[in-house]
Amino acid sequence: GVLVTGGSRGIGRAVAEAFAARGAHVAINFRSDRATAETALASLGGTGHVLVQADVSTPEGARQAVDETIAGLGRLDVVVNAAGVAGGGPVHLLGEDAWDRVVDINLKGTFLVCKHALAAMLEQEDGGTASLLSRAGVAVPKLKGALAKAIERLPKVEGQGGEIGVSRDLGNLLNLADKERATVCREIPE
């Protein structure tokens, strides 16, 4: 089975649809908007797919997402970390709570889901993870006099840049256990 965090919309939904179109059973993780998640589930077609409502930015929510995926699909073969949020404004105006939200969802959520998923995959001796992010996580924008634009994007860049590091580190750790499995970090154009 495939767990897609943030699978009810955007890139996550497109990834869930792509896996389902290729015959995979998919668990769509969502945090709060059940109606949108049900629409995404219906778009998958076929049977054997499940919805998993959990806030993956918390240890309990991440464990719940993994456990409910395994309970609903029978096993966990792939995790796609697509849950993410933008920073919410220029860094000099950004409150600490907004910054914490970016880090908790984009970075900590990726770590927590991978932590629980990788434990399950090692136990079943099979599986892999992927983290999807926008180009903002790859490089800071060029500053051709557009310093304000760069400052606006900084929270998103930093949150996703951290996700790159977490994904690479998790891949390295998993590779120590099994050279054939790795975490993949892909750049997704905006």
Side-chain angles (χ1 to χ4, degrees):
V2 179
L3 168 61
V4 181
T5 69
S8 65
R9 58 182 158 190
I11 293 171
R13 180 173 172 174
V15 168
E17 290 172 350
F19 271 103
R22 287 163 181 78
H25 293 129
V26 178
I28 292 179
N29 161 251
F30 69 102
R31 186 172 49 93
S32 59
D33 187 350
R34 179 164 289 278
T36 299
E38 288 174 351
T39 299
L41 183 67
S43 76
L44 300 182
T47 60
H49 310 296
V50 297
L51 289 179
V52 175
Q53 183 172 5
D55 180 353
V56 297
S57 71
T58 69
E60 302 80 18
R63 178 181 295 279
Q64 176 186 347
V66 170
D67 290 349
E68 287 186 18
T69 296
I70 294 169
L73 301 181
R75 61 180 286 120
L76 180 58
D77 301 297
V78 176
V79 172
V80 179
N81 290 294
V85 295
V91 72
H92 68 288
L93 300 176
L94 191 65
E96 189 173 341
D97 289 344
W99 174 253
D100 287 345
R101 181 173 179 263
V102 170
V103 171
D104 284 350
I105 294 171
N106 296 1
L107 180 58
K108 186 177 176 184
T110 296
F111 164 75
L112 291 170
V113 171
C114 286
K115 173 184 176 175
H116 296 296
L118 293 176
M121 290 174 185
L122 287 170
E123 189 174 306
Q124 70 187 20
E125 299 181 355
D126 195 16
T129 67
S131 292
L132 305 179
L133 48 132
S134 72
R135 295 179 65 89
V138 178
V140 175
K142 294 183 180 174
L143 298 180
K144 299 181 192 171
L147 182 59
K149 196 71 164 166
I151 289 172
E152 242 177 65
R153 291 177 50 128
L154 181 63
K156 184 176 181 184
V157 170
E158 289 304 311
Q160 291 183 343
E163 186 177 342
I164 292 169
V166 167
S167 295
R168 286 182 183 153
D169 290 346
L170 288 169
N172 290 337
L173 289 173
L174 188 56
N175 281 333
L176 293 176
D178 184 340
K179 296 287 185 195
E180 293 181 14
R181 287 186 256 162
T183 300
V184 179
C185 184
R186 298 222 185 233
E187 176 184 340
I188 305 296
E190 294 194 85

